[in-house]
Structures are given as C-alpha cells and as structure tokens.
C-alpha cells in the first residue's frame, strides 16, 4: 500500500489538472492562429461566476485588436516584453473599474446600501484592485480552459497605460495579457515552486 | 445548425467547468466533515504552478486549527461573518509575504538582480499584494477542484488580523477563507453576473 498521489485527492480529473495548472505554462512565443471573439466570450462566460467582494465584478478587459491600438501600447511595455507584445495574436489590457459600486444596487440587491459604504474613492479603488486581481486569477485559469496559452506581463508602465487607454479617470490598468497558441520555443524550463511546508502554516 | 454553446468552445470538459465555476458557490454553512492536511497539501500542490510576477509566490496560508487560534480571530471578523467563521471546519488567513524578494535568487535564477529591483518596501508590498491576490484566485479554484466549498470573506479588520497573527511585520493579511463541505441552506440564489458586452471591450 502506498499513500494516494496528491493528484488523486482532488475531485478534478488529471487531464483538467494538467490543462489548467500542471502542464500549463506562460507562453513567450505564439503561432499566427487568431483568438476569436467567440473564444473570449466563452472564457468570460465561464470565469464570470468566480466570487468577488460585494459581487462587484470590477474587472474590465480591453482587447487591442487594431494595429493602431497595439502601436499605442508598445511605448509603455518594458523592452524585454515588447517583442512578444508586438507579435502575439491578441493583447488585452486588464483593468479595474474604480466606480464599480455604481452597479451594486443591481449586482448585490439584498444590501443596496453597499453602494454608499464605498463612497470613499481611495478605499473603493483598493477594493476594485483587489477583486479585479482575484478575477485576473480566474481569467488566467479560464484562458487555459479554452486550450490557449496566457502570457501575463507585469513589466509595463501602468500609470501610462491608464492615461493612454482610460482617460475617463475611472479605470486603472493592472496587467497586460498576451493570448494565443504557443509557438516554437514558447517557454524555458519550469521555474522552482515553493513547497507546501514553506507556504502553509498551522496554528 | 445552431451556433456551438459557449461551453463547447472550451477545451475543459463540462463537468470540470461546473465543478470549478458554473455550479460552484460561496458556502455560508458547512457540515462537520473535516478538511484534512492532506487535502490542503493536494490543493497547494496543484495551484502552486499558477504564474506570479518574478515567480515570487508571495501567498502564505495560515490554517487556524486550534480552538485557541480560532478564538483569537473572531474579534476581528464582521458580525455578519462571525457565525460561519466560528463553525466552519477549517478557517485560513491568506496573507502576502512582503519580503518575498529574499527568495528570488532561488525562484528566479536567470535574473538574480530582481531581488535588488525590489529593495523599496512600499513598492514591494504592492507587488506582494498583487501576486498573492492572483494566487488567492488560483486557490479558490483549487479548493473547488478538491470538491470542497470555499467561503472567502473580505469583511474583517485586516490590520488587526495582521497585528494579531503576523507580529513579525513582514506579512499582510488579505482575506479570510472558510473551507468545508456545504451544509444545509449553504447559499441563496445566484447573484447576477455582468455580460461579456459589459466587461470585454475592443479597440
């Protein structure tokens, strides 16, 4: 008798574990195969059920489909990320809607007063960033659920991208995301991960 | 001929879609069935492969298993969240390690200088919160992958929990998480979700 493998303690089947986490990798190169609006809609239709504080759902996804919009992004991307951003089939700016509270009477109808609890903008912006970042976690899983590779990029001028693409002042850019099918030499060797003993503590 | 359902545009099978997102719900009540350390280890072993900036993996998970540790938490929890926090089989404090950069020479070996890029504490704390929050997104998916219900709670005094449980000054509490099997009347009707048209824009 041997102890069950950790994979076998999960209800999720092995193929899905591999698709979403164990075999999934951050792609650095992509093929030319496009990512369609129908695929993006299917990903969103899945991940929109993930929980957020007050059910506020502040994540917004700006797809840069035109060559002009891609060209506007490139100056804000770090030089090491620029080549893959220029060539990925699809690039998205992931942002938080700081004024998400305006929708709460509809999204959180059993506590309509929640809208007023969030009247302070700095506190609300922090809430918006937190829930939108949770949703980015769900989105990265969802991109992989669609059989696509995700290339999240934190190396960019977030304040600059916010000014360039969200002049309304109510959205904040949080992360850039390349999407597509992995191309040749899409990744290096897997980087080390921390063990459960290093991450999970008990009191 | 009809258009394919959005579920059928995904590589992930329908049962897994339901387990992780479509049928998954935030539980408000739990049965007495325990959540074992082996289950927590299996969840972590899955979700530790999710991407983080600089592969920094700042999320730390503090399991409150003793009655004493649970009692120390309750004063910091909002009154509406206190009953479920008192009765859930397992409660975890999810936190960010603000000094995650110390491990980067090992975790991000091809750019050992990344440690020094993060020498400014406030900027590093923001990075730690961002990547740890992404990881909480993966963790909520992972709890569901284990067939368990997750009960994330943002309604608590985060500064107070940080002082109470992380007096070292290097960790920040971000979210509380109840884990277990859903009990009777574990949830209300599903709250509304935004449509793809409201969330995904194209430029």
């Amino acid at each position: 008798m041997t102890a069950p493998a950790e994979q076998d303690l999960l209800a999720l089947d092995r193929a899905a574990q591999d698709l979403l986490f164990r075999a999934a990798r951050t792609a650095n190169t992509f093929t030319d195969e496009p990512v369609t609006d129908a695929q993006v809609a299917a990903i969103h239709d899945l991940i929109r059920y993930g929980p957020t504080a007050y059910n506020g759902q502040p994540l917004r996804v700006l797809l840069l489909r035109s060559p002009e919009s891609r060209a506007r992004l490139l100056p804000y991307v770090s030089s090491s990320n620029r080549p893959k951003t220029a060539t990925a089939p699809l690039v998205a700016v992931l942002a938080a809607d700081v004024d998400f509270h305006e929708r709460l009477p509809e999204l959180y109808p059993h506590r309509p007063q929640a809208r007023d609890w969030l009247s302070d903008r700095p506190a609300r912006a922090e809430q918006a960033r937190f829930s939108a970042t949770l949703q980015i976690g769900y989105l990265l899983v969802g991109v992989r659920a669609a059989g696509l590779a995700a290339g999240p990029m934190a190396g960019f001028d977030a304040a600059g991208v916010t000014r360039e693409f969200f002049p309304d002042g109510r959205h904040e850019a949080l992360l850039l995301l390349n999407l597509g099918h992995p191309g040749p030499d899409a990744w290096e060797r897997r980087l080390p991960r921390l063990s459960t003993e290093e991450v999970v503590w008990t009191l």
Side-chain angles (χ1 to χ4, degrees), chain A:
Chain A
M1 293 278 293
T2 53
E6 293 190 317
Q7 297 91 320
D8 301 328
L9 287 172
L10 299 177
L12 187 71
D13 66 84
R14 289 286 296 267
Q17 292 180 38
D18 289 345
L19 178 69
L20 302 181
F21 288 104
R22 294 189 200 280
R25 300 292 308 275
T26 294
N28 292 313
T29 71
F30 297 93
T31 69
D32 290 340
E33 192 176 342
V35 176
T36 66
D37 285 338
Q39 284 176 301
V40 174
I43 294 166
H44 178 258
D45 186 70
L46 180 71
I47 67 104
R48 67 186 182 139
Y49 294 106
T52 52
Y54 308 108
N55 191 38
Q57 308 167 61
L59 178 67
R60 298 295 179 270
V61 177
L62 179 62
L63 304 178
L64 303 183
R65 287 218 178 264
S66 68
E68 295 73 20
S69 64
R70 181 91 58 115
R72 284 170 58 195
L73 177 65
L74 290 179
Y76 301 102
V77 177
S78 72
S79 56
S80 61
N81 284 328
R82 211 166 289 157
K84 56 192 171 192
T85 306
T87 56
L90 183 58
V91 179
V93 180
L94 308 181
D97 177 0
V98 174
D99 290 346
F100 71 98
H101 68 311
E102 293 179 358
R103 300 293 297 271
L104 290 191
E106 170 197 352
L107 298 177
Y108 204 61
H110 55 296
R111 294 268 194 291
Q113 65 273 37
R115 184 195 154 122
D116 303 322
W117 298 338
L118 293 162
S119 58
D120 177 62
R121 193 185 196 277
R124 191 172 71 241
E126 195 179 318
Q127 288 270 357
R129 284 189 291 266
F130 182 79
S131 281
T133 305
L134 278 183
Q135 290 184 284
I136 294 173
Y138 312 144
L139 177 64
L140 294 174
V141 173
V143 169
R144 292 161 165 195
L148 297 169
M153 295 186 302
F156 72 105
D157 171 2
V161 168
T162 295
R163 281 193 306 272
E164 178 73 30
F165 290 98
F166 303 106
D168 61 8
R170 75 177 267 173
H171 298 90
E172 287 187 20
L174 298 175
L175 194 71
L176 303 180
L177 182 65
N178 296 326
L179 297 99
H181 292 269
D185 301 317
W187 38 71
E188 312 279 338
R189 165 177 79 73
R190 170 83 84 178
L191 292 172
R193 292 302 195 273
L194 297 176
S195 69
T196 299
E197 291 67 33
E198 293 170 297
V199 170
V200 181
W201 309 327
T202 301
L203 207 60

